[in-house]
């Protein structure tokens, strides 16, 4: 409807320019009005700079898991939009998703997403995630992700608020730089590892994704210095299994 | 021959020296009498009026106020509050603005309970009850509560975060007189502490244990033993880690329950045909006092008939996590003639709402939540179900309704049929959506609500609204205290109408609407009467906000900045992303870097 259209544009040119995201969600309404795909999960107060990371991720690659940052507990539809699984899901709506709209509290969105659509009692693959130095654990449902990349992005967002502390005063600027954060998490500074069914600690990423989901019992993001020696065992196990 | 004080000159208010002792004694008697009378005054608005009469009354009121309610934790400092009110036994504190629930408030903004906990620890040794909403509470804060108040009885944490199971363990263990532990819609960290086991052995005084929001497994055996030794337990709301089999075991130990949250309401393993399962219905039948049912977190609808025995007595039913269809809902709701409060998912469709309207003639509060929160052309509920409710549930007082489509006609119908409406919150999910049939803005519908519902105190609007709608709000919404606006309005006039017309307005929260400085400045006469104003993604500039701050020193004007850098705040003509301002007797000392206080 014409009036509606006008309204969207009425908010001024300065509203449509892309800006750095305010920690926690400022610039994203802006991006949304541009029609870019801001599929946004909502977040809880503990995770910081979520939306900032989303904005950066979008700039670098539209297909990455911007929507799965909400600890992975998104509605299946949102994931399909990104994963491009090709089933009969509508294409992304012209009006992009906006932060905090509609005003449904995050735990209501999350909880429903945890249910399986078959109505049966399907086990989710919840594992505890701890990060060395972080004050508390988180939990993720591995079945909510389709790849290591999605999991890595979600973990990055989940623990981003803790890495701020380690960044120092320079850290704020660095932190706003997505690649630097990803470097931090992907670099030798932090190594994601997991405990498998046999109780061994393995390097995340060494086995195919499905095998990982089946065998992972818990995740630990450890400091690089402690992760030496994990990789070779992973490869051996892989050979033994195949 | 003695002077009669009553005959003394009217201009002379002080009694002559000879009589001053008598007058002071009379004052003291009056104050004592007053205190004894005021003890019975519980309504805080009445108490506020009393405290304004004169200094003596103010003192007496302060000494007799036992329930302290602070609607905005930043409106007053803990020190000032505890200095004025010396004998408080119950404290209620609210922190973050409501839009924090929708990720519009950056993290670590504030609302820390810690300074209040430590102030109260010193000032109120007899403290018994604490109610916190949208506060940031740490495990250490809970430890302070547990250590400092030997008579502590009731703790309710609503929409709070920052604490975990270790904090709960400390409360469970130390608060030996605990009657109420209510965790509602709060985020609780799993620090892998078995907090249920920390309740002391032996009988407890527990009357209410609500933990349905706790997202981690519970030691069931410990819980079962706890329920068995809590003979006063009336309210029990389990989390989704409790299976229906475990629910059964708890229910047979606690048939006296009045409020039950059923946990997952599905079995923990796959149940084959022909497996022996307990007689769930009989467990429900044994709970003769049950009036409030919730939970159903992972419901398998086959188990719904188990609750039939209690339906006739139910006054409150929360199915807002239950993905059930119209027929499944009808099988339950057709038996719930006494129902007053109903929360559901829109999976029940318009048809389900028609079933509700047909049976629940006493319905006071209805909330319909969306399963799919995306903007769509159609949804399972619409103006059809809404109209059915309007026609069937004439006693409705409060409605929260999410839908994809709505018509003015349906909203007008509700305004005419439901004169008792006090809370009207309609969320048409697609922004700027017009009347489904006429294509017109939703002005007339919402306007009818404010005009016809004479008791309306809370309003949340949506859909395509022009300034005309706001003119209606200002003209008719004289009792409206809370107004929520999102993606509405044409110009500054919209906000002006509201600020100039809604004389009872206390809480105004606006997002993504084209209201700017001129509108903001039109509310100067009223801001001291309000608890807060929130405006995000509107058109107010730093200059406008600063002008407010300049003219109204009794307000704290918070503006959230683009970067964390104090030096790089932005130009005066820049539009601010978020403005949050509130009346206050204190300055914030704990604001994070991205908050600029003008």
């Amino acid at each position: 409807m014409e009036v509606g259209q006008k309204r969207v544009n009425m908010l001024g040119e300065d509203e449509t320019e892309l800006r750095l995201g305010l920690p926690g969600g400022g610039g994203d309404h802006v991006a949304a009005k541009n029609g870019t795909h801001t599929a946004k999960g909502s977040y809880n107060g503990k995770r910081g700079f979520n939306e900032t990371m989303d904005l950066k991720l979008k700039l670098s690659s539209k297909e990455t898991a911007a929507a799965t940052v909400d600890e992975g507990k998104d509605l299946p539809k949102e994931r399909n939009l990104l994963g491009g699984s090709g089933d009969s899901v509508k294409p992304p709506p012209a009006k992009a998703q906006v932060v905090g709209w509609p005003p449904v509290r995050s735990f209501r969105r999350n909880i429903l997403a945890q249910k399986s659509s078959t109505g049966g009692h399907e086990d989710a693959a919840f594992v505890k995630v701890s990060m060395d130095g972080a004050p508390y654990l988180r939990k993720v449902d591995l079945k909510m992700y389709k790849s290591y990349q999605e999991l890595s992005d979600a973990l990055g967002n989940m623990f981003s608020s803790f890495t701020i502390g380690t960044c120092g005063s320079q850290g704020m600027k660095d932190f706003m730089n997505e690649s630097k954060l990803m470097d931090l998490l992907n670099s030798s500074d932090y190594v994601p590892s997991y405990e498998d069914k046999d109780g061994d600690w393995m390097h995340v990423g060494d086995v195919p994704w499905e095998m990982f989901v089946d065998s992972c019992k818990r995740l630990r993001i450890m400091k690089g210095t402690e992760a030496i020696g994990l990789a070779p065992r992973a490869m051996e196990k892989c050979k033994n299994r195949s | 021959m003695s002077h009669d004080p009553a005959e003394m000159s009217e201009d002379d208010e002080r009694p002559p020296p000879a009589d001053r002792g008598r007058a002071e004694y009379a004052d003291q008697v009056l104050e004592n009498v007053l205190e004894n009378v005021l003890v019975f005054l519980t309504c805080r608005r009445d108490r506020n009026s009393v405290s304004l009469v004169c200094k003596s009354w103010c003192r007496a009121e302060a000494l007799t106020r036992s329930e302290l309610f602070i609607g905005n934790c930043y409106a007053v400092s803990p020190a000032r509050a505890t200095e004025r009110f010396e004998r408080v036994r119950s404290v209620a504190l609210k922190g973050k603005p409501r839009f924090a629930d929708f990720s519009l408030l950056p993290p670590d903004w504030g609302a820390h309970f810690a300074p209040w906990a430590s102030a109260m620890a010193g000032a109120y040794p007899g403290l018994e009850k604490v109610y916190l909403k949208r506060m940031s509470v740490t495990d250490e804060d809970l430890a302070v509560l547990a250590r400092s108040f030997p008579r502590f009885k009731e703790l309710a944490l609503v929409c709070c975060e920052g604490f975990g199971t270790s904090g709960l363990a400390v409360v469970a263990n130390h608060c030996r007189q605990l009657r109420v532990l209510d965790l509602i819609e709060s985020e609780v960290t799993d620090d892998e502490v078995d907090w249920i086991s920390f309740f002391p052995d032996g009988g407890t005084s527990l009357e209410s244990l609500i933990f349905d929001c706790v997202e981690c497994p519970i030691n069931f055996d410990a819980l079962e033993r706890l329920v068995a030794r809590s003979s006063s337990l009336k309210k029990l709301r389990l989390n989704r880690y409790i299976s229906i089999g475990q629910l059964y075991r708890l229910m047979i130990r606690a048939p006296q329950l009045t409020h039950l949250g059923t946990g997952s309401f599905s079995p923990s393993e796959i149940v084959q045909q022909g497996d022996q399962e307990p007689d769930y219905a009989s467990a429900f039948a044994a709970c003769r006092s049950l009036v409030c049912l919730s939970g159903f977190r992972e419901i398998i609808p086959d188990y719904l008939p188990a609750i039939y025995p209690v339906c006739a007595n139910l006054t409150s039913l929360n199915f807002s996590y239950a993905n059930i269809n119209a027929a499944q809902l009808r099988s339950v709701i057709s038996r719930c003639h006494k129902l007053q409060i109903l929360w559901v998912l829109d999976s029940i469709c318009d048809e389900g709402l028609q079933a509700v309207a047909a049976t629940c003639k006493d319905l006071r509060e209805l909330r319909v939540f969306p399963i799919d929160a995306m903007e769509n052309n159609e949804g399972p509920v619409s103006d059809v179900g809404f109209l059915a409710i309007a026609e069937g549930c004439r006693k409705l007082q409060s409605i929260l309704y999410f839908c994809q489509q709505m018509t003015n006609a349906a909203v007008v119908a509700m305004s005419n049929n439901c004169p008792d409406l006090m809370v009207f919150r309609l969320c048409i999910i697609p922004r700027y959506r017009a009347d489904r049939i006429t294509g017109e803005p939703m002005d007339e519908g919402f306007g009818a609500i404010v005009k016809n519902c004479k008791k309306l105190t809370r309003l949340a609007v949506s859909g395509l609204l022009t300034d005309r709608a706001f003119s209606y709000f200002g003209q008719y919404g004289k009792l409206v205290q809370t107004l929520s606006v999102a993606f509405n309005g044409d110009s500054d006039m919209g906000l002006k109408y509201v600020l100039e017309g809604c004389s009872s307005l206390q809480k105004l929260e606006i997002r993504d609407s084209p209201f700017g400085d001129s509108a903001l400045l039109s509310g100067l006469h009223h801001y001291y009467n309000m608890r807060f104003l929130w405006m995000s993604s509107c058109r107010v500039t730093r200059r406008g906000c600063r002008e407010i701050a300049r003219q109204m020193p009794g307000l704290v004007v918070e503006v959230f900045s683009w970067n964390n850098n104090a030096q790089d705040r932005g130009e005066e003509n820049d539009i601010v992303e978020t403005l949050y301002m509130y009346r206050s007797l204190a300055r914030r000392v704990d604001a994070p870097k991205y908050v600029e206080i003008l």
Side-chain angles (χ1 to χ4, degrees):
Chain A
M1 178 179 164
E2 196 224 289
V3 177
Q5 276 302 332
K6 214 194 314 183
R7 202 143 277 99
V8 170
N9 294 327
M10 249 178 78
L11 291 167
E13 277 70 48
D14 51 340
E15 295 290 345
T16 60
E17 81 188 38
L18 277 176
R19 290 193 263 210
L20 273 182
L22 171 71
D28 303 286
H29 320 298
V30 172
K33 288 190 180 74
N34 274 342
T36 52
H37 185 51
T38 3
K40 208 108 350 279
S42 42
Y43 73 94
N44 58 47
K46 289 219 180 75
R47 279 179 290 123
F49 304 92
N50 223 358
E51 276 68 34
T52 309
M53 296 318 302
D54 290 346
L55 201 57
K56 293 296 187 178
L57 285 169
K58 264 192 323 302
L59 290 173
S60 55
S61 131
K62 289 207 174 92
E63 302 307 297
T64 52
T68 57
V69 298
D70 184 22
E71 297 189 80
K73 293 173 188 143
D74 280 316
L75 300 170
K77 229 181 196 173
E78 290 170 323
R79 282 171 51 228
N80 288 339
L81 289 170
L82 292 171
S85 60
D87 58 1
S88 58
V89 173
K90 297 201 285 248
K95 296 177 195 168
Q97 261 181 282
V98 169
V99 173
W101 186 262
V104 176
R105 300 205 42 216
S106 56
F107 66 84
R108 285 199 181 276
R109 296 187 200 241
N110 293 347
I111 302 302
L112 290 170
Q114 281 161 10
K115 298 186 202 196
S116 80
S117 49
T118 60
H121 197 67
E122 193 184 75
D123 284 327
F126 277 101
V127 297
K128 293 192 173 119
V129 187
S130 60
M131 178 167 165
D132 288 358
Y136 47 76
L137 313 170
R138 307 308 296 256
K139 274 199 176 156
V140 292
D141 176 5
L142 293 179
K143 296 238 164 113
M144 288 287 161
Y145 307 100
K146 289 189 170 158
S147 69
Y148 282 115
Q149 183 61 44
E150 287 185 16
L151 175 64
S152 166
D153 291 342
L155 291 180
N157 285 290
M158 214 180 289
F159 287 102
S160 58
S161 48
F162 304 136
T163 60
I164 296 166
T166 61
C167 284
S169 58
Q170 179 62 20
M172 286 307 175
K173 275 204 181 146
D174 288 347
F175 192 73
M176 302 295 254
N177 181 334
E178 169 241 344
S179 56
K180 185 89 182 183
L181 172 66
M182 284 305 160
D183 282 346
L184 250 174
L185 289 173
N186 294 331
S187 74
S188 54
D189 281 359
Y190 283 100
V191 175
S193 58
Y194 71 99
E195 183 182 7
D196 73 358
K197 282 183 183 157
D198 303 335
D200 294 325
W201 284 90
M202 319 269 280
H203 198 295
V204 168
D206 286 345
V207 301
W209 173 254
E210 286 76 20
M211 192 184 295
F212 166 71
V213 171
D214 278 338
S215 61
C216 172
K217 273 177 34 191
R218 84 184 269 167
L219 276 163
R220 181 177 160 202
I221 304 177
M222 32 170 68
K223 285 217 149 88
T225 46
E226 297 194 20
I228 297 165
L230 286 180
R233 288 167 73 197
M235 291 316 294
E236 274 172 30
K237 281 203 160 197
C238 205
K239 286 177 198 150
N240 290 341
R241 285 203 180 108
S242 54
Chain B
M1 281 299 296
S2 56
H3 287 289
D4 183 347
E7 282 180 357
M8 299 175 67
S9 158
E10 281 156 31
D11 291 332
D12 184 8
E13 291 186 342
R14 282 168 52 240
D19 289 324
R20 193 172 291 148
R22 244 171 64 182
E24 280 176 3
Y25 173 71
D27 281 346
Q28 187 58 54
V29 168
L30 184 63
E31 230 175 82
N32 288 345
V33 167
L34 198 54
E35 281 180 37
N36 280 302
V37 167
L38 287 180
V39 159
F40 295 102
L41 201 62
T42 48
C43 168
R44 66 174 189 267
R45 283 187 182 85
D46 289 344
R47 283 190 158 269
N48 290 345
S49 305
V50 159
S51 68
L52 293 173
V53 169
C54 65
K55 275 199 175 138
S56 161
W57 280 53
C58 186
R59 253 195 323 271
E61 192 283 313
L63 286 172
T64 55
R65 190 182 294 219
S66 65
E67 291 171 8
L68 186 59
F69 172 85
I70 299 192
N72 174 3
C73 64
Y74 287 120
V76 64
S77 69
R80 185 165 179 153
T82 53
E83 269 161 32
R84 177 174 168 190
F85 300 106
E86 293 177 18
R87 301 179 191 164
V88 166
R89 284 201 303 272
S90 158
V91 171
L93 266 178
K94 293 185 171 184
K96 301 176 198 171
R98 196 180 72 97
F99 274 4
D101 292 354
F102 314 122
S103 312
L104 292 181
L105 190 71
D108 304 319
W109 171 80
H112 302 291
F113 180 53
W116 289 92
S118 67
M120 296 192 307
Y124 303 142
L127 192 67
E128 296 180 2
K129 302 188 198 182
V130 168
Y131 170 96
L132 302 178
K133 185 167 185 182
R134 290 199 191 93
M135 298 286 296
S136 189
V137 182
T138 63
D139 290 332
E140 179 52 39
D141 297 337
L142 293 178
V144 167
L145 279 185
R147 281 196 308 260
S148 314
F149 307 115
R151 278 183 272 179
F152 196 71
K153 295 189 173 60
E154 299 187 14
L155 179 63
L157 300 175
V158 179
C159 304
C160 295
E161 43 78 27
F163 64 99
T165 47
S166 21
L168 295 179
V170 176
V171 171
N173 192 242
H174 282 85
C175 301
R176 296 290 160 130
Q177 297 186 28
L178 199 65
R179 289 197 297 234
V180 170
L181 180 57
D182 289 351
L183 307 169
I184 297 171
E185 298 185 8
S186 291
E187 203 187 310
V188 182
T189 316
D190 178 9
D191 343 277
E192 301 189 352
V193 171
D194 175 11
W195 59 283
I196 291 283
S197 298
F198 278 76
F199 281 95
D201 296 330
T204 77
S205 344
L206 272 181
E207 294 172 16
S208 175
L209 180 61
I210 295 180
F211 62 94
D212 48 358
C213 63
V214 176
E215 288 290 301
C216 54
I218 293 282
N219 177 342
F220 177 74
D221 291 336
L223 177 62
E224 192 177 13
R225 288 193 299 274
L226 177 65
V227 169
R229 65 181 192 276
S230 303
S231 52
S232 307
L233 196 64
K234 292 283 194 293
K235 301 185 187 182
L236 179 63
R237 288 187 5 203
L238 308 166
N239 70 8
R240 63 181 181 87
Y241 288 83
I242 303 292
S243 69
I244 193 170
Q246 291 171 328
L247 170 66
Y248 175 84
R249 284 165 59 179
L250 294 173
M251 287 179 73
I252 58 178
R253 291 192 179 280
Q256 77 281 5
L257 289 177
T258 57
H259 293 59
L260 176 64
T262 60
S264 70
F265 213 68
S266 57
S268 50
E269 305 89 24
I270 309 289
V271 175
Q272 305 293 348
Q273 288 263 10
D275 271 359
Q276 259 303 27
E277 281 196 277
D279 183 357
Y280 299 119
S282 73
F284 277 93
C287 292
R288 297 177 178 285
S289 313
L290 212 50
V291 292
C292 173
L293 213 48
S294 62
F296 309 105
R297 297 292 288 263
E298 287 156 6
I299 188 175
I300 292 185
D302 303 11
Y303 290 100
L304 267 179
I307 72 172
Y308 290 169
V310 296
C311 287
N313 284 330
L314 277 187
T315 54
S316 172
L317 179 57
N318 182 348
F319 267 155
S320 66
Y321 292 98
N323 189 352
I324 55 177
N325 61 31
Q328 289 156 350
L329 177 74
R330 191 184 301 114
S331 72
V332 170
I333 215 78
S334 55
R335 301 157 193 264
C336 299
H337 296 93
K338 287 193 190 165
L339 205 62
Q340 296 183 9
I341 299 175
L342 176 64
W343 293 21
V344 285
L345 282 176
D346 63 3
S347 59
I348 64 166
C349 301
D350 285 330
E351 221 187 303
L353 291 170
Q354 286 163 341
V356 172
T359 315
C360 305
K361 297 304 180 188
D362 219 12
L363 200 67
R364 311 290 163 102
E365 176 179 325
L366 174 67
R367 297 195 193 192
V368 180
F369 295 96
I371 280 200
D372 177 2
M374 305 248 302
E375 298 184 345
N376 278 316
N377 281 323
E378 276 180 356
V381 300
S382 67
D383 50 281
V384 171
F386 191 88
L387 186 60
I389 294 290
E391 288 171 348
C393 305
R394 303 289 176 118
K395 295 192 190 170
L396 204 61
Q397 294 173 2
S398 170
I399 184 163
L400 169 63
Y401 194 89
F402 285 86
C403 58
Q404 300 283 345
Q405 296 283 3
M406 185 50 61
T407 62
N408 281 304
V411 179
V412 170
M414 183 167 284
S415 79
N416 286 320
N417 289 3
C418 306
D420 292 336
L421 271 178
M422 295 195 300
V423 174
F424 187 82
R425 300 160 68 191
L426 174 59
C427 181
I428 303 169
I429 294 174
R431 295 155 290 154
Y432 314 112
R433 181 149 289 176
D435 181 308
R436 171 174 75 83
I437 294 178
T438 67
E440 302 212 328
M442 293 300 299
D443 297 346
E444 297 309 311
F446 283 101
I449 291 287
V450 278
K451 185 172 174 195
N452 299 335
C453 301
K454 312 264 194 261
K455 303 182 188 175
L456 195 74
T457 55
R458 182 171 177 186
L459 179 65
V461 301
S462 59
L464 182 64
L465 292 180
T466 71
D467 287 343
R468 180 191 292 273
F470 292 89
S471 75
Y472 292 146
F473 303 158
Q475 189 179 355
Y476 299 111
K478 298 305 179 190
L479 294 184
V480 172
Q481 295 173 14
T482 306
L483 178 61
S484 302
V485 176
F487 304 96
N488 309 117
D490 294 326
S491 74
D492 280 357
M493 283 314 297
L495 182 54
K496 281 186 188 173
Y497 287 134
V498 164
L499 289 171
E500 287 164 7
C502 299
S503 42
S504 306
L505 197 60
Q506 290 177 18
K507 301 187 258 184
L508 180 55
E509 47 190 28
I510 304 174
R511 65 167 295 184
D512 294 275
S513 299
F515 306 136
D517 293 343
S518 159
L520 185 65
L521 290 161
S522 69
L524 288 169
H525 66 286
H526 191 64
Y527 292 137
Y528 281 153
N529 297 332
M530 291 176 61
R531 187 180 294 172
F532 72 80
L533 167 65
W534 168 288
M535 291 180 72
S536 59
S537 302
C538 297
R539 313 204 69 183
V540 292
T541 68
R542 181 171 266 94
R543 183 188 304 283
C545 297
R546 203 181 287 287
E547 183 58 23
I548 299 280
R550 194 184 68 77
Q551 292 203 35
M552 308 196 76
L555 292 184
V556 170
V557 178
E558 293 190 18
V559 162
F560 301 168
S561 293
W562 283 109
N563 10 28
N564 294 331
N565 242 318
Q567 294 94 324
D568 206 1
R569 288 298 190 189
E571 302 293 312
E572 282 307 285
N573 286 332
D574 282 354
I575 287 181
V576 303
E577 175 57 36
T578 304
L579 160 68
Y580 178 52
M581 64 191 215
Y582 46 91
R583 66 185 171 196
S584 175
L585 297 171
R587 297 284 113 190
R588 269 195 78 171
V589 296
D590 63 353
K593 288 205 193 115
Y594 58 80
V595 169
E596 186 186 348
I597 299 182
L598 295 177

